[in-house]
Amino acid sequence: MARIPLMAGNWKMNLDHLEATALAQRLYWALRDANFDYSKVEVALIPPFTDLRSVQTVTDADNMAIVYGAQDVSVHAAGAYTGEISAHMLAKLGCSFVVVGHSERRQYHGETDQEVGEKAKAALGAGITPIICVGEALAIRKAGEHVAYTLAQIDGVYAELGPTLAPATTVAYEPVWAIGTGEVATPADAQEVCGAIRGRLAALFGRETAEGIRILYGGSVKASNVASIMAEADVDGALVGGASLDPAEFSKICRFAELIA
Ligand code: PGA
């Protein structure tokens, strides 16, 4: 089964709703000028919650093929959970994706694999594809435990999902030491773990399901390194932080195929 690559721009806590509209338009124009083919690469914006309505409006108005999603979601459906946002609310805003278990959520908000799995389940219940983030910190990599650590996160999250929901998920392998540091994993590093994740998904849910799940790499992806990472067999796209805030740079990342010499 051919997996269409996904380039997702995680804006993190950057850009107000006016800046969001401007960035979405500039990215759209850059891709249009390059005759970008959205059937070959899916392009997603992952802005802060407060930007989603504006991103929806601008993408609808200009009939953009760019899709979008949120950076987090509540495990709860509704009720007395001050400050939280439900999957239904995100679905109503036209979100295609939601990032769950980003390392910054795990680190600063103590999210566990179980909670990440529950968030993924909540997203799937509203028809939204969760982008399930996993990845090790530097000390774990130095100890040579990065594959085992990341696979344990996969086991923990997917225990909440099971074989029926698993096929509708996306994974992002993001080594924490490569996020926002300029320290990019080598293509071989990315392939080692992404390949191991696919192997674990095959062991859990069968080869066919594992072959259909997109596995992204994230961590200091730029136009200058994206092509070599995308050349790896088990890397199906990128979750891009800093470089997604620059529309010219992000449009080049989306056009990675042209960079492959
Ligand atoms: P970065 O962030 O591209 O700025 O390293 C990636 C991420 O955290 O998703």
Side-chain angles (χ1 to χ4, degrees):
M1 188 190 306
R3 297 181 297 268
I4 296 171
L6 169 64
M7 293 299 167
N10 173 15
W11 295 358
K12 308 195 179 187
M13 197 176 72
N14 293 292
L15 308 183
D16 62 34
H17 71 286
L18 300 174
E19 294 165 330
T21 301
L23 177 42
Q25 275 172 327
R26 287 169 65 199
L27 175 66
Y28 172 66
W29 292 332
L31 292 172
R32 190 190 55 191
D33 290 350
N35 291 318
F36 185 73
D37 183 351
Y38 292 91
S39 70
K40 298 225 166 69
V41 179
E42 194 171 14
V43 178
L45 304 177
I46 313 289
F49 290 129
T50 50
D51 296 355
L52 285 169
R53 180 69 171 143
S54 300
V55 169
Q56 179 186 40
T57 302
V58 72
T59 53
D60 280 359
D62 286 342
N63 225 348
M64 295 180 190
I66 296 171
V67 296
Y68 53 89
Q71 298 174 14
D72 188 26
V73 66
S74 177
V75 299
H76 304 291
Y81 302 103
T82 302
E84 297 204 27
I85 303 288
S86 75
H88 169 76
M89 294 168 181
L90 298 178
K92 271 285 181 196
L93 283 168
C95 287
S96 302
F97 293 101
V98 63
V99 171
V100 293
H102 190 279
S103 61
E104 288 149 17
R105 300 289 317 170
R106 291 174 182 267
Q107 190 179 345
Y108 305 133
H109 300 272
E111 290 188 10
T112 61
D113 293 327
Q114 184 187 341
E115 192 177 0
V116 174
E118 287 171 6
K119 289 184 173 196
K121 197 172 185 173
L124 289 162
I128 298 173
T129 301
I131 300 176
I132 297 165
C133 299
V134 292
E136 82 287 353
L138 186 59
I140 294 165
R141 173 154 290 259
K142 282 192 170 155
E145 300 290 333
H146 48 286
V147 173
Y149 180 89
T150 304
L151 295 185
Q153 289 181 316
I154 290 288
D155 289 345
V157 173
Y158 280 88
E160 300 299 320
L161 300 176
T164 320
L165 295 177
T169 60
T170 293
V171 176
Y173 168 58
E174 298 205 302
V176 178
W177 48 272
I179 294 177
T181 56
E183 191 81 39
V184 64
T186 65
D189 288 339
Q191 172 57 29
E192 180 192 25
V193 184
C194 291
I197 291 170
R198 197 174 312 283
R200 180 56 60 94
L201 292 172
L204 291 170
F205 307 117
R207 182 48 61 187
E208 198 182 327
T209 293
E211 290 297 333
I213 294 177
R214 288 190 287 197
I215 303 177
L216 317 182
Y217 167 78
S220 298
V221 171
K222 301 182 202 65
S224 59
N225 58 31
V226 65
S228 58
I229 293 169
M230 286 303 294
E232 295 294 339
D234 287 300
V235 179
D236 306 317
L239 186 55
V240 183
S244 72
L245 297 172
D246 175 345
E249 180 77 6
F250 191 56
S251 74
K252 282 190 207 151
I253 291 171
C254 297
R255 292 160 53 211
F256 71 92
E258 296 168 28
L259 302 167
I260 298 173

